[in-house]
């Protein structure tokens, strides 16, 4: 049906594709420049002395910043798939057709520039030392990403329903390509943004010097517990399993545990050894739990897909089903 576009509509879609590709390139270059290549020497990422000023119990080891690389590579894949790929660009999960309708609120393509804007706001506020603005940026980014994941969840259910109605199935290669290019980019970044909200909240709190140290300790450990719960919820409870969110949270929590093994001077000076150790253990345990859940989830999914090729499937309740079982 996508061949019958009016010239005006086709132009609108071209423009939106151009906006998405440009915002991606701009954001990718500006963020990796500042965070990984320290292009602003006077900024928080570039200046070691300033970096120390913003340390909290939840500030992870600096290797965690490398997560921006897969985050942007996957977003690049999304931008490529949604602008140039023969079949994927017409997927409802991208939603260029919906962008033209009244229902443009359910188009992922329409949301994408907002993800880029919120990302720039977050990273540059952090680099300039405006912690509250960074917190706000990360919350906004989280809101847009949540909305994207919800939209895609509804659409995936509709697509599944349409398929079972026609007794069709999608072959495993297409299914994987669709997941990796169109859903995973937002899952992985969504998990990382959750962690960033926690970091910036704790950094913002640390700006209130008058507060007793115990407040920072409680806030940090409560944040770790909340991240663990969020990860558990999105890997175990929701109907759709958000593997990307799990990966990002494990990566971040491991970074906290590693960092607290040899904490920076400001942290060492401010907190007792017991407080640091407790936080490190909680971060370590959270990492272990989420990594295990993630491993089990991925294994279960792979087993399900392999069994599928053999015809009838026993689903979890033990009844035999012939329809598609989604992990």
């Amino acid at each position: 049906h996508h061949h019958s576009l009016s010239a005006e509509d086709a132009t609108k879609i071209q423009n939106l594709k151009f906006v998405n590709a440009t915002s991606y390139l701009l954001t990718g270059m500006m963020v990796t420049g500042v965070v990984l290549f320290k292009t602003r020497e006077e900024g928080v990422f570039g200046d070691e002395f300033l970096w120390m000023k913003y340390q909290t119990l939840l500030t992870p080891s600096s290797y965690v910043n490398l997560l921006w690389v897969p985050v942007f590579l996957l977003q690049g894949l999304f931008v490529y798939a949604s602008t140039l790929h023969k079949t994927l660009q017409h997927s409802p999960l991208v939603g260029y057709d919906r962008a033209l309708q009244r229902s443009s609120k359910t188009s992922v393509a329409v949301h994408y520039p907002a993800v880029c804007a919120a990302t720039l706001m977050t990273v540059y506020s952090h680099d300039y030392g405006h912690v509250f603005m960074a917190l706000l940026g990360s919350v906004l980014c989280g809101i847009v990403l949540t909305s994207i994941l919800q939209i895609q969840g509804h659409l995936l259910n509709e697509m599944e329903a349409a398929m079972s109605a026609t007794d069709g199935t999608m072959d495993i290669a297409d299914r994987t390509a669709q997941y990796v290019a169109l859903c995973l980019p937002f899952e992985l970044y969504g998990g990382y943004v959750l962690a960033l909200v926690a970091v910036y909240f704790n950094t913002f709190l640390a700006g209130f010097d008058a507060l007793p140290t115990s407040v920072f300790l409680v806030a940090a450990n409560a944040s770790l517990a909340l991240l663990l719960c969020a990860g558990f919820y999105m890997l175990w409870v929701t109907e759709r399993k958000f593997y990307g969110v799990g990966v990002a949270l494990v990566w971040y929590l491991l970074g906290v545990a590693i960092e607290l093994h040899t904490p920076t001077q400001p942290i060492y000076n401010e907190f007792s050894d017991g407080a640091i150790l407790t936080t490190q253990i909680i971060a370590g345990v959270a990492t272990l739990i989420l990594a295990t859940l993630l491993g089990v989830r991925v294994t279960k999914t792979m087993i399900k897909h392999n069994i599928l090729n053999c015809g009838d499937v026993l689903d979890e309740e033990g009844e035999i089903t012939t329809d598609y079982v989604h992990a």
Side-chain angles (χ1 to χ4, degrees):
H1 52 238
H2 43 256
H3 300 298
S4 55
L5 283 176
S6 70
E8 187 190 357
D9 283 352
T11 314
K12 276 183 188 160
I13 287 182
Q14 277 318 110
N15 289 347
L16 185 55
K17 283 181 176 177
F18 178 75
V19 167
N20 279 341
T22 316
S23 10
Y24 164 69
L25 288 170
L26 194 72
T27 310
M29 287 184 328
M30 288 176 75
V31 170
T32 46
V34 158
V35 176
L36 301 178
F37 298 106
K38 318 272 190 250
T39 46
R40 278 190 73 246
E41 284 167 14
E42 69 282 13
V44 172
F45 286 102
D47 180 338
E48 195 66 24
F49 176 76
L50 269 179
W51 181 251
M52 283 300 165
K53 191 182 151 196
Y54 295 103
Q55 292 296 309
T56 69
L57 284 170
L58 287 199
T59 310
S61 184
S62 54
Y63 86 83
V64 169
N65 285 332
L66 293 173
L67 194 62
W68 286 110
V69 176
V71 161
F72 282 120
L73 286 176
L74 281 169
Q75 285 186 31
L77 197 59
F78 168 78
V79 169
Y80 163 76
S82 62
T83 53
L84 299 168
H85 192 275
K86 281 202 301 294
T87 50
L88 288 176
Q89 63 173 307
H90 301 298
S91 165
L93 296 171
V94 176
Y96 279 112
D97 48 348
R98 286 163 180 269
L100 301 172
Q101 300 158 7
R102 282 228 178 86
S103 63
S104 68
K105 279 199 288 299
T106 59
S107 161
V108 173
V110 173
H111 283 71
Y112 185 68
V115 173
C116 293
T119 303
L120 281 175
M121 176 181 169
T122 305
V123 173
Y124 275 81
S125 300
H126 181 175
D127 201 49
Y128 279 91
H130 302 306
V131 181
F132 181 71
M133 293 306 281
L135 174 59
L136 196 61
S138 61
V139 169
L140 290 173
C141 198
I143 291 170
V144 181
L145 287 166
T146 304
S147 157
I148 288 178
L149 291 177
Q150 281 178 333
I151 290 168
Q152 289 188 335
H154 292 310
L155 291 168
L156 282 165
N157 287 344
E158 283 173 20
M159 287 155 79
E160 290 287 345
M163 258 189 194
S164 18
T166 57
D167 286 333
T169 51
M170 206 169 168
D171 82 32
I172 197 83
D174 288 345
R175 182 176 284 282
T176 308
Q178 171 184 288
Y179 174 70
V180 173
L182 304 183
C183 303
L184 187 61
F186 301 111
E187 288 182 20
L188 185 72
Y189 190 31
Y192 190 35
V193 166
L194 267 178
L196 290 178
V197 170
V199 176
Y200 293 131
F201 173 71
N202 280 271
T203 314
F204 177 63
L205 205 59
F208 299 99
D209 297 328
L211 292 172
T213 310
S214 56
V215 173
F216 305 136
L217 182 63
V218 169
N221 285 289
S223 304
L224 289 174
L226 283 171
L227 289 176
L228 174 60
C229 292
F232 172 77
Y233 182 74
M234 298 187 87
L235 282 173
W236 216 254
V237 181
T238 47
E239 183 192 2
R240 204 175 131 215
K241 308 302 179 257
F242 299 93
Y243 310 103
V245 173
V247 171
L249 286 175
V250 167
W251 180 262
Y252 164 75
L253 290 166
L254 183 64
V256 175
I258 289 175
E259 176 67 16
L260 291 175
H261 184 63
T262 48
T264 51
Q265 204 58 47
I267 295 301
Y268 194 74
N269 294 347
E270 184 170 2
F271 296 96
S272 69
D273 291 355
I276 293 173
L277 186 63
T278 306
T279 313
Q280 188 197 353
I281 290 172
I282 289 179
V285 169
T287 308
L288 209 60
I289 293 175
L290 282 188
T292 310
L293 291 180
L294 190 61
V296 172
R297 259 301 153 219
V298 171
T299 315
K300 281 178 88 165
T301 304
M302 288 168 107
I303 290 173
K304 275 184 179 174
H305 285 308
N306 287 341
I307 292 175
L308 266 178
N309 307 338
C310 319
D312 289 5
V313 186
L314 277 165
D315 77 4
E316 279 161 12
E317 284 75 46
E319 302 154 31
I320 289 187
T321 69
T322 43
D323 61 355
Y324 179 70
V325 178
H326 53 255

